[in-house]
Amino acid sequence: MSAPTTDRRADAAAQPIRKQRERVFSGIKPTGTPTLGNYIGAIRHWAAEQDIYDNIFCVVDLHAITVSIEPRELRQNTRELAALLVACGIDPARSALFIQSHMPEHAELAWILDCVTPTGWLNRMTQFKAKAGEDREAASAGLYTYPVLMAADILIYQTDAVPVGEDQKQHVELTRDIASSFNHRFGETFVEPRPIIRAVGARIMALDDPTKKMSKSEAEGSYISLLDPPAAIRKKIARATTDSERTIVFDENRPGIFNLLTIYQALGGGETPEQIEAEFAGKGYKEFKAALAQRVVATLEPIQRRYAELTADPATLDALLAEGAARVRPLAQRTVHTVKERVGLL
Ligand code: ATP
Ligand code: LTN
């Protein structure tokens, strides 16, 4: 830990668990089975870099209820997602994994941050505009203040970096602004976190419409879920939108084939775009799509196998989620205590 970073941190908040490494925090919503977009843009990096960082990962169920969701579905999605994260390689021995609502401190901090965040900042958030749709008046107040709860998730752990897909960049920047303005007004309290967004695969597009982001809350044919069986994967890829040209090249002006090639590259062993283009030179879309489907199936097969083992033993999953929350609780409590002192609530 370098000296300047330590100096910026509130002393009190740094006490319970001293960081040897930079801390990462990231969250994912239990709004459906995670997609290949979630995996490529976020989850695989969380899993691959667990030895580099001090890791905290969270299933953000309080964010999931900002849009309408059936209680039974939410309950089931939350457990499924936690098990899938472990199946994707999130190792409870190296990472704290927990459910957001099990830590009421997040919502408590979010309220305080709501009261210091100008509505003008929230009015600029593009995700709100996209999720609220045409009838903005009908969107919940929670959907509007969603980014402030996300800021609380991040700031409560004195997080240094937030590994996310491209769509979350604006929210992490807002988090920095909230931290900076709070620090300015009340004294150094929060670390200002930076986003970590990868060059390849930070925005995987929908299979049926490559101008839209692949999203688990969209239509079934638009995404590949991490639990899709091989036959469904092959079918969805075979039907994926391409174009009427023939060459298989990384051309951003041809969003369909570019997206499929990006997935192929992200799930490969580090080949360059040129190497991939050479592999498919003179070949047709059908052959490329079959190779892509094979790569996706091979990636998901071990994840699905581990997932089946984990769900056969719900008590172990419950125990590891309780342990994850217990590990981070002192950090969250310390930050909330400091914040309450700073604003005059204590
Ligand atoms: P929803 O459809 O409910 O809005 P989502 O799948 O878009 O959900 P989350 O589940 O909250 O969003 O996302 C978890 C992580 O996955 C975030 O870091 C997000 O940026 C990343 N992510 C989501 N979709 C994609 C995508 N299509 N490409 C790359 N990364 C993505
Ligand atoms: N807003 C994110 C999910 C999310 C998150 C977070 C991500 C909630 N809290 C904290 C990173 C850090 C989304 O919509 N994908």
Short mmCIF file of all heavy atoms in Angstrom, two decimals, residues 26-43 46 60 63-64 67 81 127 131 146 150 162-169 201-206 212-218 259, ligand 1:
data_model
loop_
_atom_site.label_atom_id
_atom_site.label_comp_id
_atom_site.label_asym_id
_atom_site.label_seq_id
_atom_site.Cartn_x
_atom_site.Cartn_y
_atom_site.Cartn_z
N SER A 26 -17.19 -5.34 -6.26
CA SER A 26 -18.11 -5.26 -7.39
C SER A 26 -19.41 -5.97 -7.04
O SER A 26 -19.46 -6.81 -6.14
CB SER A 26 -17.50 -5.82 -8.67
OG SER A 26 -18.07 -5.13 -9.78
N GLY A 27 -20.46 -5.60 -7.78
CA GLY A 27 -21.78 -6.15 -7.50
C GLY A 27 -22.46 -6.62 -8.77
O GLY A 27 -22.12 -6.18 -9.87
N ILE A 28 -23.43 -7.50 -8.58
CA ILE A 28 -24.21 -8.00 -9.71
C ILE A 28 -25.64 -8.23 -9.23
O ILE A 28 -25.87 -8.71 -8.13
CB ILE A 28 -23.56 -9.28 -10.31
CG1 ILE A 28 -24.40 -9.85 -11.46
CG2 ILE A 28 -23.24 -10.34 -9.28
CD1 ILE A 28 -23.64 -10.85 -12.34
N LYS A 29 -26.60 -7.86 -10.09
CA LYS A 29 -28.02 -7.90 -9.70
C LYS A 29 -28.64 -9.27 -9.94
O LYS A 29 -28.47 -9.83 -11.03
CB LYS A 29 -28.82 -6.92 -10.57
CG LYS A 29 -28.73 -5.49 -10.14
CD LYS A 29 -29.45 -4.59 -11.14
CE LYS A 29 -28.65 -4.43 -12.40
NZ LYS A 29 -29.23 -3.54 -13.41
N PRO A 30 -29.43 -9.76 -8.98
CA PRO A 30 -30.12 -11.04 -9.20
C PRO A 30 -31.43 -10.86 -9.96
O PRO A 30 -32.50 -11.22 -9.48
CB PRO A 30 -30.34 -11.56 -7.77
CG PRO A 30 -30.46 -10.32 -6.94
CD PRO A 30 -29.62 -9.25 -7.61
N THR A 31 -31.34 -10.30 -11.17
CA THR A 31 -32.54 -10.04 -11.97
C THR A 31 -32.81 -11.16 -12.97
O THR A 31 -33.76 -11.06 -13.76
CB THR A 31 -32.38 -8.70 -12.73
OG1 THR A 31 -31.01 -8.57 -13.13
CG2 THR A 31 -32.73 -7.52 -11.87
N GLY A 32 -31.99 -12.18 -12.98
CA GLY A 32 -32.16 -13.31 -13.90
C GLY A 32 -30.86 -14.09 -13.90
O GLY A 32 -29.92 -13.71 -13.20
N THR A 33 -30.81 -15.15 -14.68
CA THR A 33 -29.56 -15.92 -14.74
C THR A 33 -28.51 -15.08 -15.46
O THR A 33 -28.80 -14.51 -16.52
CB THR A 33 -29.78 -17.24 -15.51
OG1 THR A 33 -30.90 -17.90 -14.94
CG2 THR A 33 -28.56 -18.13 -15.45
N PRO A 34 -27.30 -14.97 -14.90
CA PRO A 34 -26.30 -14.13 -15.56
C PRO A 34 -25.99 -14.59 -16.98
O PRO A 34 -26.12 -15.77 -17.32
CB PRO A 34 -25.06 -14.23 -14.67
CG PRO A 34 -25.34 -15.26 -13.66
CD PRO A 34 -26.82 -15.52 -13.64
N THR A 35 -25.59 -13.61 -17.80
CA THR A 35 -25.34 -13.88 -19.22
C THR A 35 -23.84 -13.98 -19.48
O THR A 35 -23.01 -13.65 -18.63
CB THR A 35 -25.88 -12.73 -20.09
OG1 THR A 35 -25.05 -11.58 -19.87
CG2 THR A 35 -27.33 -12.39 -19.77
N LEU A 36 -23.57 -14.37 -20.71
CA LEU A 36 -22.19 -14.37 -21.18
C LEU A 36 -21.60 -12.96 -21.12
O LEU A 36 -20.39 -12.80 -20.91
CB LEU A 36 -22.20 -14.87 -22.63
CG LEU A 36 -20.97 -15.58 -23.17
CD1 LEU A 36 -20.50 -16.69 -22.26
CD2 LEU A 36 -21.28 -16.12 -24.57
N GLY A 37 -22.44 -11.94 -21.25
CA GLY A 37 -21.98 -10.54 -21.13
C GLY A 37 -21.48 -10.27 -19.70
O GLY A 37 -20.40 -9.70 -19.52
N ASN A 38 -22.24 -10.70 -18.71
CA ASN A 38 -21.80 -10.53 -17.32
C ASN A 38 -20.48 -11.27 -17.07
O ASN A 38 -19.60 -10.78 -16.38
CB ASN A 38 -22.84 -11.10 -16.32
CG ASN A 38 -24.19 -10.42 -16.39
OD1 ASN A 38 -25.22 -11.06 -16.50
ND2 ASN A 38 -24.20 -9.11 -16.33
N TYR A 39 -20.40 -12.46 -17.65
CA TYR A 39 -19.20 -13.29 -17.44
C TYR A 39 -17.98 -12.64 -18.08
O TYR A 39 -16.93 -12.47 -17.44
CB TYR A 39 -19.44 -14.69 -18.01
CG TYR A 39 -18.26 -15.61 -17.81
CD1 TYR A 39 -17.98 -16.15 -16.55
CD2 TYR A 39 -17.42 -15.92 -18.87
CE1 TYR A 39 -16.89 -16.98 -16.37
CE2 TYR A 39 -16.32 -16.75 -18.69
CZ TYR A 39 -16.07 -17.27 -17.44
OH TYR A 39 -14.97 -18.08 -17.24
N ILE A 40 -18.13 -12.24 -19.35
CA ILE A 40 -16.97 -11.71 -20.09
C ILE A 40 -16.59 -10.31 -19.58
O ILE A 40 -15.42 -10.00 -19.42
CB ILE A 40 -17.27 -11.70 -21.61
CG1 ILE A 40 -17.35 -13.14 -22.13
CG2 ILE A 40 -16.21 -10.90 -22.38
CD1 ILE A 40 -17.78 -13.27 -23.59
N GLY A 41 -17.61 -9.49 -19.31
CA GLY A 41 -17.33 -8.11 -18.91
C GLY A 41 -16.90 -7.97 -17.46
O GLY A 41 -16.20 -7.02 -17.11
N ALA A 42 -17.32 -8.92 -16.62
CA ALA A 42 -17.06 -8.73 -15.19
C ALA A 42 -16.57 -10.02 -14.49
O ALA A 42 -15.42 -10.09 -14.07
CB ALA A 42 -18.32 -8.20 -14.51
N ILE A 43 -17.44 -11.02 -14.39
CA ILE A 43 -17.18 -12.14 -13.47
C ILE A 43 -15.83 -12.83 -13.72
O ILE A 43 -15.11 -13.17 -12.79
CB ILE A 43 -18.32 -13.20 -13.55
CG1 ILE A 43 -19.67 -12.54 -13.25
CG2 ILE A 43 -18.07 -14.35 -12.60
CD1 ILE A 43 -20.89 -13.41 -13.53
N TRP A 46 -13.10 -10.89 -12.12
CA TRP A 46 -13.13 -11.00 -10.65
C TRP A 46 -12.43 -12.29 -10.24
O TRP A 46 -11.61 -12.29 -9.32
CB TRP A 46 -14.56 -11.03 -10.11
CG TRP A 46 -15.44 -9.88 -10.50
CD1 TRP A 46 -15.07 -8.71 -11.12
CD2 TRP A 46 -16.86 -9.80 -10.31
NE1 TRP A 46 -16.17 -7.92 -11.32
CE2 TRP A 46 -17.29 -8.55 -10.84
CE3 TRP A 46 -17.82 -10.64 -9.74
CZ2 TRP A 46 -18.63 -8.14 -10.80
CZ3 TRP A 46 -19.15 -10.23 -9.70
CH2 TRP A 46 -19.54 -9.00 -10.23
N VAL A 60 -26.40 -7.93 -5.42
CA VAL A 60 -27.08 -6.70 -5.00
C VAL A 60 -28.60 -6.83 -5.15
O VAL A 60 -29.21 -6.28 -6.07
CB VAL A 60 -26.48 -5.45 -5.70
CG1 VAL A 60 -25.07 -5.18 -5.19
CG2 VAL A 60 -26.46 -5.58 -7.22
N HIS A 63 -30.73 -3.64 -5.24
CA HIS A 63 -30.79 -3.01 -6.56
C HIS A 63 -31.81 -3.72 -7.46
O HIS A 63 -32.42 -3.09 -8.32
CB HIS A 63 -29.41 -3.01 -7.23
CG HIS A 63 -28.52 -1.90 -6.76
ND1 HIS A 63 -27.45 -2.09 -5.94
CD2 HIS A 63 -28.57 -0.56 -7.01
CE1 HIS A 63 -26.86 -0.92 -5.70
NE2 HIS A 63 -27.53 0.02 -6.34
N ALA A 64 -31.96 -5.03 -7.25
CA ALA A 64 -32.88 -5.79 -8.11
C ALA A 64 -34.33 -5.33 -7.92
O ALA A 64 -35.13 -5.39 -8.85
CB ALA A 64 -32.75 -7.29 -7.83
N VAL A 67 -36.73 -2.38 -9.92
CA VAL A 67 -37.73 -2.65 -10.97
C VAL A 67 -38.62 -3.77 -10.44
O VAL A 67 -38.26 -4.45 -9.47
CB VAL A 67 -37.07 -3.07 -12.31
CG1 VAL A 67 -36.29 -1.92 -12.92
CG2 VAL A 67 -36.19 -4.29 -12.14
N LEU A 81 -27.59 -17.01 -8.25
CA LEU A 81 -26.47 -16.14 -8.65
C LEU A 81 -25.27 -16.36 -7.72
O LEU A 81 -24.12 -16.44 -8.18
CB LEU A 81 -26.93 -14.68 -8.63
CG LEU A 81 -25.91 -13.61 -9.01
CD1 LEU A 81 -25.24 -13.92 -10.34
CD2 LEU A 81 -26.59 -12.25 -9.08
N GLN A 127 -28.35 5.09 -17.38
CA GLN A 127 -29.03 3.82 -17.08
C GLN A 127 -30.45 4.07 -16.59
O GLN A 127 -31.37 3.33 -16.93
CB GLN A 127 -28.24 2.99 -16.06
CG GLN A 127 -28.93 1.65 -15.75
CD GLN A 127 -28.06 0.71 -14.92
OE1 GLN A 127 -26.97 0.33 -15.31
NE2 GLN A 127 -28.57 0.31 -13.77
N LYS A 131 -33.68 2.41 -18.28
CA LYS A 131 -34.54 1.48 -17.52
C LYS A 131 -35.92 2.05 -17.27
O LYS A 131 -36.89 1.31 -17.20
CB LYS A 131 -33.89 1.13 -16.18
CG LYS A 131 -32.61 0.35 -16.29
CD LYS A 131 -32.83 -1.14 -16.13
CE LYS A 131 -31.56 -1.90 -16.42
NZ LYS A 131 -31.76 -3.27 -16.78
N TYR A 146 -30.87 4.74 -7.41
CA TYR A 146 -30.06 3.53 -7.58
C TYR A 146 -28.55 3.79 -7.55
O TYR A 146 -27.79 3.11 -6.85
CB TYR A 146 -30.50 2.91 -8.92
CG TYR A 146 -29.77 1.73 -9.46
CD1 TYR A 146 -30.43 0.52 -9.65
CD2 TYR A 146 -28.43 1.80 -9.84
CE1 TYR A 146 -29.77 -0.57 -10.19
CE2 TYR A 146 -27.77 0.73 -10.37
CZ TYR A 146 -28.44 -0.46 -10.54
OH TYR A 146 -27.79 -1.53 -11.07
N MET A 150 -25.46 2.30 -5.08
CA MET A 150 -24.24 1.70 -5.63
C MET A 150 -23.00 2.41 -5.06
O MET A 150 -22.01 1.76 -4.71
CB MET A 150 -24.26 1.78 -7.16
CG MET A 150 -22.99 1.31 -7.81
SD MET A 150 -23.25 0.97 -9.57
CE MET A 150 -21.55 0.95 -10.15
N VAL A 162 -13.06 -0.66 -8.92
CA VAL A 162 -14.34 -1.33 -9.17
C VAL A 162 -14.31 -1.96 -10.57
O VAL A 162 -14.45 -1.25 -11.57
CB VAL A 162 -15.51 -0.31 -9.06
CG1 VAL A 162 -16.85 -1.04 -9.09
CG2 VAL A 162 -15.39 0.52 -7.80
N PRO A 163 -14.09 -3.27 -10.66
CA PRO A 163 -14.07 -3.92 -11.98
C PRO A 163 -15.49 -4.13 -12.51
O PRO A 163 -16.28 -4.86 -11.91
CB PRO A 163 -13.37 -5.27 -11.71
CG PRO A 163 -13.51 -5.51 -10.24
CD PRO A 163 -13.81 -4.21 -9.56
N VAL A 164 -15.80 -3.47 -13.61
CA VAL A 164 -17.16 -3.49 -14.16
C VAL A 164 -17.13 -3.48 -15.69
O VAL A 164 -16.09 -3.21 -16.29
CB VAL A 164 -17.97 -2.23 -13.72
CG1 VAL A 164 -18.49 -2.35 -12.31
CG2 VAL A 164 -17.16 -0.95 -13.90
N GLY A 165 -18.29 -3.73 -16.28
CA GLY A 165 -18.46 -3.55 -17.72
C GLY A 165 -18.59 -2.06 -18.03
O GLY A 165 -18.81 -1.24 -17.13
N GLU A 166 -18.48 -1.76 -19.30
CA GLU A 166 -18.50 -0.37 -19.78
C GLU A 166 -19.75 0.41 -19.32
O GLU A 166 -19.66 1.59 -18.98
CB GLU A 166 -18.44 -0.43 -21.33
CG GLU A 166 -18.69 0.85 -22.08
CD GLU A 166 -17.59 1.87 -21.89
OE1 GLU A 166 -16.41 1.46 -21.79
OE2 GLU A 166 -17.92 3.07 -21.85
N ASP A 167 -20.89 -0.28 -19.25
CA ASP A 167 -22.14 0.42 -18.90
C ASP A 167 -22.12 1.03 -17.50
O ASP A 167 -22.93 1.91 -17.21
CB ASP A 167 -23.32 -0.56 -19.03
CG ASP A 167 -23.21 -1.73 -18.06
OD1 ASP A 167 -22.16 -2.40 -18.04
OD2 ASP A 167 -24.18 -1.98 -17.32
N GLN A 168 -21.21 0.57 -16.64
CA GLN A 168 -21.19 1.06 -15.26
C GLN A 168 -20.19 2.18 -15.01
O GLN A 168 -20.05 2.67 -13.88
CB GLN A 168 -20.93 -0.10 -14.28
CG GLN A 168 -22.06 -1.10 -14.26
CD GLN A 168 -23.39 -0.43 -13.97
OE1 GLN A 168 -23.54 0.30 -12.99
NE2 GLN A 168 -24.37 -0.63 -14.84
N LYS A 169 -19.49 2.60 -16.07
CA LYS A 169 -18.46 3.63 -15.92
C LYS A 169 -19.04 4.91 -15.32
O LYS A 169 -18.49 5.50 -14.39
CB LYS A 169 -17.86 3.91 -17.30
CG LYS A 169 -16.68 4.82 -17.28
CD LYS A 169 -15.97 4.79 -18.63
CE LYS A 169 -14.77 5.72 -18.59
NZ LYS A 169 -14.79 6.70 -19.64
N GLY A 201 -14.19 -6.93 -24.58
CA GLY A 201 -15.37 -7.57 -23.98
C GLY A 201 -16.07 -6.76 -22.90
O GLY A 201 -16.89 -7.30 -22.17
N ALA A 202 -15.79 -5.47 -22.79
CA ALA A 202 -16.44 -4.66 -21.75
C ALA A 202 -17.89 -4.33 -22.11
O ALA A 202 -18.64 -3.82 -21.28
CB ALA A 202 -15.66 -3.37 -21.51
N ARG A 203 -18.25 -4.60 -23.36
CA ARG A 203 -19.64 -4.36 -23.77
C ARG A 203 -20.03 -5.41 -24.80
O ARG A 203 -19.88 -5.19 -26.01
CB ARG A 203 -19.77 -2.94 -24.34
CG ARG A 203 -21.22 -2.53 -24.56
CD ARG A 203 -21.31 -1.04 -24.91
NE ARG A 203 -22.66 -0.68 -25.26
CZ ARG A 203 -23.61 -0.36 -24.37
NH1 ARG A 203 -23.33 -0.34 -23.10
NH2 ARG A 203 -24.82 -0.05 -24.78
N ILE A 204 -20.51 -6.53 -24.33
CA ILE A 204 -20.98 -7.59 -25.22
C ILE A 204 -22.41 -7.22 -25.63
O ILE A 204 -23.21 -6.80 -24.81
CB ILE A 204 -20.95 -8.97 -24.49
CG1 ILE A 204 -19.50 -9.33 -24.08
CG2 ILE A 204 -21.59 -10.06 -25.34
CD1 ILE A 204 -18.52 -9.50 -25.23
N MET A 205 -22.69 -7.37 -26.92
CA MET A 205 -23.97 -6.91 -27.44
C MET A 205 -24.98 -8.07 -27.56
O MET A 205 -24.60 -9.24 -27.60
CB MET A 205 -23.76 -6.23 -28.80
CG MET A 205 -22.68 -5.16 -28.79
SD MET A 205 -22.86 -3.93 -27.47
CE MET A 205 -24.07 -2.85 -28.23
N ALA A 206 -26.25 -7.70 -27.66
CA ALA A 206 -27.32 -8.70 -27.78
C ALA A 206 -27.16 -9.48 -29.09
O ALA A 206 -26.77 -8.91 -30.11
CB ALA A 206 -28.67 -8.00 -27.75
N LYS A 212 -27.62 -3.23 -29.23
CA LYS A 212 -28.03 -3.14 -27.82
C LYS A 212 -27.15 -4.02 -26.95
O LYS A 212 -26.72 -5.09 -27.39
CB LYS A 212 -29.46 -3.67 -27.66
CG LYS A 212 -30.53 -2.78 -28.20
CD LYS A 212 -31.85 -3.24 -27.61
CE LYS A 212 -33.05 -2.69 -28.33
NZ LYS A 212 -34.11 -3.67 -28.47
N LYS A 213 -26.95 -3.62 -25.69
CA LYS A 213 -26.14 -4.40 -24.75
C LYS A 213 -26.82 -5.73 -24.43
O LYS A 213 -28.04 -5.76 -24.25
CB LYS A 213 -25.98 -3.57 -23.46
CG LYS A 213 -25.06 -4.17 -22.42
CD LYS A 213 -25.06 -3.34 -21.14
CE LYS A 213 -26.22 -3.71 -20.23
NZ LYS A 213 -25.86 -4.37 -18.97
N MET A 214 -26.05 -6.80 -24.35
CA MET A 214 -26.61 -8.08 -23.89
C MET A 214 -26.98 -7.92 -22.42
O MET A 214 -26.16 -7.49 -21.61
CB MET A 214 -25.59 -9.21 -24.06
CG MET A 214 -26.15 -10.57 -23.67
SD MET A 214 -24.94 -11.93 -23.78
CE MET A 214 -24.90 -12.23 -25.52
N SER A 215 -28.23 -8.28 -22.08
CA SER A 215 -28.74 -8.04 -20.73
C SER A 215 -29.61 -9.20 -20.30
O SER A 215 -30.45 -9.66 -21.08
CB SER A 215 -29.60 -6.79 -20.79
OG SER A 215 -29.27 -5.89 -19.79
N LYS A 216 -29.46 -9.62 -19.04
CA LYS A 216 -30.24 -10.78 -18.58
C LYS A 216 -31.71 -10.46 -18.40
O LYS A 216 -32.53 -11.37 -18.29
CB LYS A 216 -29.63 -11.35 -17.30
CG LYS A 216 -29.57 -10.41 -16.12
CD LYS A 216 -29.01 -11.15 -14.92
CE LYS A 216 -27.86 -10.45 -14.25
NZ LYS A 216 -28.12 -9.09 -13.78
N SER A 217 -32.06 -9.16 -18.35
CA SER A 217 -33.48 -8.83 -18.19
C SER A 217 -34.16 -8.56 -19.53
O SER A 217 -35.27 -8.08 -19.57
CB SER A 217 -33.61 -7.63 -17.25
OG SER A 217 -32.84 -6.56 -17.72
N GLU A 218 -33.49 -8.91 -20.63
CA GLU A 218 -34.12 -8.74 -21.96
C GLU A 218 -34.65 -10.08 -22.48
O GLU A 218 -34.62 -11.09 -21.76
CB GLU A 218 -33.10 -8.14 -22.94
CG GLU A 218 -32.66 -6.73 -22.60
CD GLU A 218 -33.79 -5.69 -22.70
OE1 GLU A 218 -34.71 -5.89 -23.51
OE2 GLU A 218 -33.76 -4.70 -21.95
N ASN A 259 -19.22 -8.41 -32.73
CA ASN A 259 -19.59 -8.88 -31.39
C ASN A 259 -19.26 -10.36 -31.22
O ASN A 259 -18.70 -10.78 -30.20
CB ASN A 259 -21.09 -8.62 -31.18
CG ASN A 259 -21.56 -8.92 -29.76
OD1 ASN A 259 -20.90 -8.55 -28.79
ND2 ASN A 259 -22.68 -9.61 -29.64
P1 ATP B 1 -30.03 -6.16 -15.95
O1 ATP B 1 -30.33 -6.82 -17.24
O2 ATP B 1 -30.91 -6.57 -14.82
O3 ATP B 1 -29.91 -4.66 -16.05
P2 ATP B 1 -27.22 -6.58 -16.25
O4 ATP B 1 -26.86 -7.98 -16.62
O5 ATP B 1 -27.19 -5.54 -17.29
O6 ATP B 1 -28.60 -6.66 -15.51
P3 ATP B 1 -25.67 -6.62 -13.75
O7 ATP B 1 -26.10 -7.97 -13.51
O8 ATP B 1 -25.89 -5.78 -12.57
O9 ATP B 1 -26.32 -5.98 -15.05
O10 ATP B 1 -24.14 -6.52 -14.18
C1 ATP B 1 -23.09 -7.12 -13.48
C2 ATP B 1 -21.79 -6.76 -14.18
O11 ATP B 1 -21.79 -7.25 -15.53
C3 ATP B 1 -21.54 -5.25 -14.29
O12 ATP B 1 -20.16 -5.01 -14.04
C4 ATP B 1 -21.87 -4.93 -15.72
O13 ATP B 1 -21.16 -3.81 -16.20
C5 ATP B 1 -21.43 -6.20 -16.41
N1 ATP B 1 -22.17 -6.39 -17.66
C6 ATP B 1 -23.51 -6.49 -17.79
N2 ATP B 1 -23.86 -6.67 -19.06
C7 ATP B 1 -22.70 -6.68 -19.78
C8 ATP B 1 -22.41 -6.82 -21.17
N3 ATP B 1 -23.35 -6.99 -22.06
N4 ATP B 1 -21.10 -6.79 -21.55
C9 ATP B 1 -20.12 -6.63 -20.63
N5 ATP B 1 -20.33 -6.49 -19.31
C10 ATP B 1 -21.62 -6.50 -18.87
#
